[in-house]
PDB file of all heavy atoms in Angstrom:
ATOM      1  N   TYR A 983      51.986  98.225 131.437  1.00  0.00           N
ATOM      2  CA  TYR A 983      52.089  98.740 132.803  1.00  0.00           C
ATOM      3  C   TYR A 983      52.214 100.255 132.828  1.00  0.00           C
ATOM      4  O   TYR A 983      51.809 100.905 133.791  1.00  0.00           O
ATOM      5  CB  TYR A 983      53.283  98.088 133.498  1.00  0.00           C
ATOM      6  CG  TYR A 983      53.318  98.319 134.993  1.00  0.00           C
ATOM      7  CD1 TYR A 983      52.577  97.507 135.850  1.00  0.00           C
ATOM      8  CD2 TYR A 983      54.080  99.350 135.545  1.00  0.00           C
ATOM      9  CE1 TYR A 983      52.605  97.705 137.218  1.00  0.00           C
ATOM     10  CE2 TYR A 983      54.107  99.558 136.919  1.00  0.00           C
ATOM     11  CZ  TYR A 983      53.372  98.732 137.745  1.00  0.00           C
ATOM     12  OH  TYR A 983      53.383  98.930 139.093  1.00  0.00           O
ATOM     13  N   ALA A 984      52.774 100.828 131.762  1.00  0.00           N
ATOM     14  CA  ALA A 984      52.943 102.278 131.716  1.00  0.00           C
ATOM     15  C   ALA A 984      51.621 103.008 131.574  1.00  0.00           C
ATOM     16  O   ALA A 984      51.533 104.196 131.857  1.00  0.00           O
ATOM     17  CB  ALA A 984      53.879 102.658 130.565  1.00  0.00           C
ATOM     18  N   ASN A 985      50.534 102.317 131.126  1.00  0.00           N
ATOM     19  CA  ASN A 985      49.237 102.955 130.945  1.00  0.00           C
ATOM     20  C   ASN A 985      48.372 102.922 132.197  1.00  0.00           C
ATOM     21  O   ASN A 985      47.227 103.335 132.169  1.00  0.00           O
ATOM     22  CB  ASN A 985      48.482 102.267 129.798  1.00  0.00           C
ATOM     23  CG  ASN A 985      49.201 102.445 128.483  1.00  0.00           C
ATOM     24  OD1 ASN A 985      49.829 103.484 128.251  1.00  0.00           O
ATOM     25  ND2 ASN A 985      49.111 101.439 127.621  1.00  0.00           N
ATOM     26  N   THR A 986      48.876 102.356 133.302  1.00  0.00           N
ATOM     27  CA  THR A 986      48.108 102.287 134.535  1.00  0.00           C
ATOM     28  C   THR A 986      48.214 103.586 135.303  1.00  0.00           C
ATOM     29  O   THR A 986      49.184 104.335 135.163  1.00  0.00           O
ATOM     30  CB  THR A 986      48.602 101.129 135.406  1.00  0.00           C
ATOM     31  OG1 THR A 986      49.971 101.374 135.732  1.00  0.00           O
ATOM     32  CG2 THR A 986      48.476  99.806 134.677  1.00  0.00           C
ATOM     33  N   GLN A 987      47.226 103.861 136.138  1.00  0.00           N
ATOM     34  CA  GLN A 987      47.200 105.062 136.957  1.00  0.00           C
ATOM     35  C   GLN A 987      47.198 104.675 138.417  1.00  0.00           C
ATOM     36  O   GLN A 987      46.464 103.752 138.814  1.00  0.00           O
ATOM     37  CB  GLN A 987      45.954 105.896 136.642  1.00  0.00           C
ATOM     38  CG  GLN A 987      45.892 106.388 135.198  1.00  0.00           C
ATOM     39  CD  GLN A 987      44.630 107.177 134.936  1.00  0.00           C
ATOM     40  OE1 GLN A 987      43.775 107.298 135.824  1.00  0.00           O
ATOM     41  NE2 GLN A 987      44.520 107.717 133.734  1.00  0.00           N
ATOM     42  N   PRO A 988      47.984 105.301 139.260  1.00  0.00           N
ATOM     43  CA  PRO A 988      48.015 104.936 140.679  1.00  0.00           C
ATOM     44  C   PRO A 988      46.749 105.385 141.390  1.00  0.00           C
ATOM     45  O   PRO A 988      46.173 106.433 141.083  1.00  0.00           O
ATOM     46  CB  PRO A 988      49.244 105.671 141.200  1.00  0.00           C
ATOM     47  CG  PRO A 988      49.392 106.828 140.283  1.00  0.00           C
ATOM     48  CD  PRO A 988      48.918 106.370 138.931  1.00  0.00           C
ATOM     49  N   THR A 989      46.304 104.590 142.367  1.00  0.00           N
ATOM     50  CA  THR A 989      45.157 104.935 143.206  1.00  0.00           C
ATOM     51  C   THR A 989      45.628 105.728 144.398  1.00  0.00           C
ATOM     52  O   THR A 989      46.806 106.064 144.518  1.00  0.00           O
ATOM     53  CB  THR A 989      44.443 103.651 143.652  1.00  0.00           C
ATOM     54  OG1 THR A 989      45.371 102.860 144.395  1.00  0.00           O
ATOM     55  CG2 THR A 989      43.953 102.860 142.445  1.00  0.00           C
ATOM     56  N   ASP A 990      44.704 106.016 145.304  1.00  0.00           N
ATOM     57  CA  ASP A 990      45.060 106.804 146.486  1.00  0.00           C
ATOM     58  C   ASP A 990      46.063 106.093 147.363  1.00  0.00           C
ATOM     59  O   ASP A 990      46.897 106.727 148.012  1.00  0.00           O
ATOM     60  CB  ASP A 990      43.799 107.122 147.289  1.00  0.00           C
ATOM     61  CG  ASP A 990      42.855 108.025 146.518  1.00  0.00           C
ATOM     62  OD1 ASP A 990      43.352 108.718 145.593  1.00  0.00           O
ATOM     63  OD2 ASP A 990      41.652 108.041 146.833  1.00  0.00           O
ATOM     64  N   ASP A 991      46.023 104.771 147.394  1.00  0.00           N
ATOM     65  CA  ASP A 991      46.974 104.040 148.237  1.00  0.00           C
ATOM     66  C   ASP A 991      48.279 103.730 147.530  1.00  0.00           C
ATOM     67  O   ASP A 991      49.100 102.974 148.027  1.00  0.00           O
ATOM     68  CB  ASP A 991      46.338 102.729 148.719  1.00  0.00           C
ATOM     69  CG  ASP A 991      45.868 101.865 147.555  1.00  0.00           C
ATOM     70  OD1 ASP A 991      46.021 102.322 146.389  1.00  0.00           O
ATOM     71  OD2 ASP A 991      45.362 100.752 147.807  1.00  0.00           O
ATOM     72  N   GLY A 992      48.458 104.281 146.316  1.00  0.00           N
ATOM     73  CA  GLY A 992      49.718 104.092 145.602  1.00  0.00           C
ATOM     74  C   GLY A 992      49.752 102.884 144.704  1.00  0.00           C
ATOM     75  O   GLY A 992      50.694 102.701 143.941  1.00  0.00           O
ATOM     76  N   GLU A 993      48.716 101.998 144.727  1.00  0.00           N
ATOM     77  CA  GLU A 993      48.693 100.824 143.882  1.00  0.00           C
ATOM     78  C   GLU A 993      48.208 101.200 142.483  1.00  0.00           C
ATOM     79  O   GLU A 993      47.305 102.024 142.325  1.00  0.00           O
ATOM     80  CB  GLU A 993      47.784  99.753 144.485  1.00  0.00           C
ATOM     81  CG  GLU A 993      48.291  99.191 145.782  1.00  0.00           C
ATOM     82  CD  GLU A 993      49.607  98.463 145.598  1.00  0.00           C
ATOM     83  OE1 GLU A 993      49.807  97.902 144.507  1.00  0.00           O
ATOM     84  OE2 GLU A 993      50.436  98.468 146.522  1.00  0.00           O
ATOM     85  N   PRO A 994      48.805 100.607 141.464  1.00  0.00           N
ATOM     86  CA  PRO A 994      48.360 100.927 140.099  1.00  0.00           C
ATOM     87  C   PRO A 994      46.981 100.353 139.814  1.00  0.00           C
ATOM     88  O   PRO A 994      46.601  99.311 140.337  1.00  0.00           O
ATOM     89  CB  PRO A 994      49.435 100.280 139.222  1.00  0.00           C
ATOM     90  CG  PRO A 994      49.986  99.180 140.051  1.00  0.00           C
ATOM     91  CD  PRO A 994      49.938  99.660 141.470  1.00  0.00           C
ATOM     92  N   GLN A 995      46.217 101.087 139.010  1.00  0.00           N
ATOM     93  CA  GLN A 995      44.880 100.637 138.625  1.00  0.00           C
ATOM     94  C   GLN A 995      44.776 100.750 137.114  1.00  0.00           C
ATOM     95  O   GLN A 995      45.055 101.791 136.537  1.00  0.00           O
ATOM     96  CB  GLN A 995      43.807 101.492 139.289  1.00  0.00           C
ATOM     97  CG  GLN A 995      42.384 101.091 138.895  1.00  0.00           C
ATOM     98  CD  GLN A 995      41.345 101.933 139.589  1.00  0.00           C
ATOM     99  OE1 GLN A 995      41.699 102.747 140.437  1.00  0.00           O
ATOM    100  NE2 GLN A 995      40.084 101.760 139.233  1.00  0.00           N
ATOM    101  N   THR A 996      44.330  99.661 136.479  1.00  0.00           N
ATOM    102  CA  THR A 996      44.245  99.636 135.027  1.00  0.00           C
ATOM    103  C   THR A 996      42.996 100.360 134.559  1.00  0.00           C
ATOM    104  O   THR A 996      41.927 100.204 135.138  1.00  0.00           O
ATOM    105  CB  THR A 996      44.214  98.184 134.516  1.00  0.00           C
ATOM    106  OG1 THR A 996      45.354  97.512 135.014  1.00  0.00           O
ATOM    107  CG2 THR A 996      44.219  98.148 133.002  1.00  0.00           C
ATOM    108  N   ASP A 997      43.151 101.188 133.524  1.00  0.00           N
ATOM    109  CA  ASP A 997      42.011 101.889 132.947  1.00  0.00           C
ATOM    110  C   ASP A 997      41.278 100.936 132.029  1.00  0.00           C
ATOM    111  O   ASP A 997      41.790 100.543 130.981  1.00  0.00           O
ATOM    112  CB  ASP A 997      42.504 103.124 132.174  1.00  0.00           C
ATOM    113  CG  ASP A 997      41.345 103.957 131.653  1.00  0.00           C
ATOM    114  OD1 ASP A 997      40.201 103.623 131.990  1.00  0.00           O
ATOM    115  OD2 ASP A 997      41.628 104.935 130.930  1.00  0.00           O
ATOM    116  N   GLU A 998      40.037 100.528 132.452  1.00  0.00           N
ATOM    117  CA  GLU A 998      39.280  99.549 131.694  1.00  0.00           C
ATOM    118  C   GLU A 998      38.191 100.207 130.855  1.00  0.00           C
ATOM    119  O   GLU A 998      37.253  99.542 130.396  1.00  0.00           O
ATOM    120  CB  GLU A 998      38.644  98.528 132.647  1.00  0.00           C
ATOM    121  CG  GLU A 998      39.675  97.747 133.433  1.00  0.00           C
ATOM    122  CD  GLU A 998      39.025  96.769 134.395  1.00  0.00           C
ATOM    123  OE1 GLU A 998      37.777  96.832 134.525  1.00  0.00           O
ATOM    124  OE2 GLU A 998      39.760  95.973 135.001  1.00  0.00           O
ATOM    125  N   THR A 999      38.252 101.505 130.661  1.00  0.00           N
ATOM    126  CA  THR A 999      37.243 102.209 129.882  1.00  0.00           C
ATOM    127  C   THR A 999      37.309 101.767 128.434  1.00  0.00           C
ATOM    128  O   THR A 999      38.399 101.778 127.820  1.00  0.00           O
ATOM    129  CB  THR A 999      37.465 103.722 129.971  1.00  0.00           C
ATOM    130  OG1 THR A 999      37.465 104.102 131.341  1.00  0.00           O
ATOM    131  CG2 THR A 999      36.380 104.466 129.200  1.00  0.00           C
ATOM    132  N   GLU A1000      36.184 101.351 127.910  1.00  0.00           N
ATOM    133  CA  GLU A1000      36.134 100.913 126.531  1.00  0.00           C
ATOM    134  C   GLU A1000      36.031 102.117 125.610  1.00  0.00           C
ATOM    135  O   GLU A1000      35.419 103.135 125.959  1.00  0.00           O
ATOM    136  CB  GLU A1000      34.910  99.996 126.305  1.00  0.00           C
ATOM    137  CG  GLU A1000      34.956  98.704 127.083  1.00  0.00           C
ATOM    138  CD  GLU A1000      36.094  97.827 126.610  1.00  0.00           C
ATOM    139  OE1 GLU A1000      36.485  97.979 125.445  1.00  0.00           O
ATOM    140  OE2 GLU A1000      36.604  97.019 127.412  1.00  0.00           O
ATOM    141  N   PRO A1001      36.610 102.038 124.437  1.00  0.00           N
ATOM    142  CA  PRO A1001      36.480 103.144 123.483  1.00  0.00           C
ATOM    143  C   PRO A1001      35.037 103.328 123.039  1.00  0.00           C
ATOM    144  O   PRO A1001      34.266 102.369 122.958  1.00  0.00           O
ATOM    145  CB  PRO A1001      37.385 102.708 122.321  1.00  0.00           C
ATOM    146  CG  PRO A1001      37.469 101.227 122.434  1.00  0.00           C
ATOM    147  CD  PRO A1001      37.405 100.931 123.900  1.00  0.00           C
ATOM    148  N   THR A1002      34.660 104.575 122.813  1.00  0.00           N
ATOM    149  CA  THR A1002      33.298 104.923 122.411  1.00  0.00           C
ATOM    150  C   THR A1002      33.074 104.573 120.956  1.00  0.00           C
ATOM    151  O   THR A1002      33.938 104.835 120.114  1.00  0.00           O
ATOM    152  CB  THR A1002      33.050 106.412 122.628  1.00  0.00           C
ATOM    153  OG1 THR A1002      33.322 106.720 123.997  1.00  0.00           O
ATOM    154  CG2 THR A1002      31.619 106.786 122.278  1.00  0.00           C
ATOM    155  N   SER A1003      31.921 103.993 120.689  1.00  0.00           N
ATOM    156  CA  SER A1003      31.581 103.619 119.320  1.00  0.00           C
ATOM    157  C   SER A1003      30.391 104.429 118.842  1.00  0.00           C
ATOM    158  O   SER A1003      29.594 104.935 119.629  1.00  0.00           O
ATOM    159  CB  SER A1003      31.257 102.115 119.227  1.00  0.00           C
ATOM    160  OG  SER A1003      32.360 101.370 119.667  1.00  0.00           O
ATOM    161  N   GLU A1004      30.207 104.513 117.587  1.00  0.00           N
ATOM    162  CA  GLU A1004      29.066 105.197 116.997  1.00  0.00           C
ATOM    163  C   GLU A1004      27.826 104.316 117.100  1.00  0.00           C
ATOM    164  O   GLU A1004      27.921 103.087 117.247  1.00  0.00           O
ATOM    165  CB  GLU A1004      29.374 105.522 115.538  1.00  0.00           C
ATOM    166  CG  GLU A1004      30.412 106.633 115.373  1.00  0.00           C
ATOM    167  CD  GLU A1004      29.958 107.935 115.966  1.00  0.00           C
ATOM    168  OE1 GLU A1004      28.806 108.338 115.727  1.00  0.00           O
ATOM    169  OE2 GLU A1004      30.745 108.548 116.718  1.00  0.00           O
ATOM    170  N   PRO A1005      26.580 104.887 117.058  1.00  0.00           N
ATOM    171  CA  PRO A1005      25.363 104.082 117.184  1.00  0.00           C
ATOM    172  C   PRO A1005      25.270 102.976 116.157  1.00  0.00           C
ATOM    173  O   PRO A1005      24.716 101.917 116.428  1.00  0.00           O
ATOM    174  CB  PRO A1005      24.246 105.132 117.005  1.00  0.00           C
ATOM    175  CG  PRO A1005      24.877 106.419 117.429  1.00  0.00           C
ATOM    176  CD  PRO A1005      26.310 106.330 117.029  1.00  0.00           C
ATOM    177  N   ASP A1006      25.775 103.195 114.957  1.00  0.00           N
ATOM    178  CA  ASP A1006      25.668 102.158 113.948  1.00  0.00           C
ATOM    179  C   ASP A1006      26.740 101.088 114.086  1.00  0.00           C
ATOM    180  O   ASP A1006      26.875 100.225 113.228  1.00  0.00           O
ATOM    181  CB  ASP A1006      25.708 102.768 112.548  1.00  0.00           C
ATOM    182  CG  ASP A1006      26.984 103.574 112.339  1.00  0.00           C
ATOM    183  OD1 ASP A1006      27.791 103.670 113.299  1.00  0.00           O
ATOM    184  OD2 ASP A1006      27.179 104.099 111.240  1.00  0.00           O
TER     185      ASP A1006
END
Side-chain angles (χ1 to χ4, degrees):
Y983 192 83
N985 296 326
T986 61
Q987 298 179 357
T989 60
D990 295 338
D991 57 358
E993 294 296 329
Q995 179 179 355
T996 304
D997 185 6
E998 298 179 352
T999 304
E1000 296 294 334
T1002 304
S1003 301
E1004 289 298 314
D1006 57 358

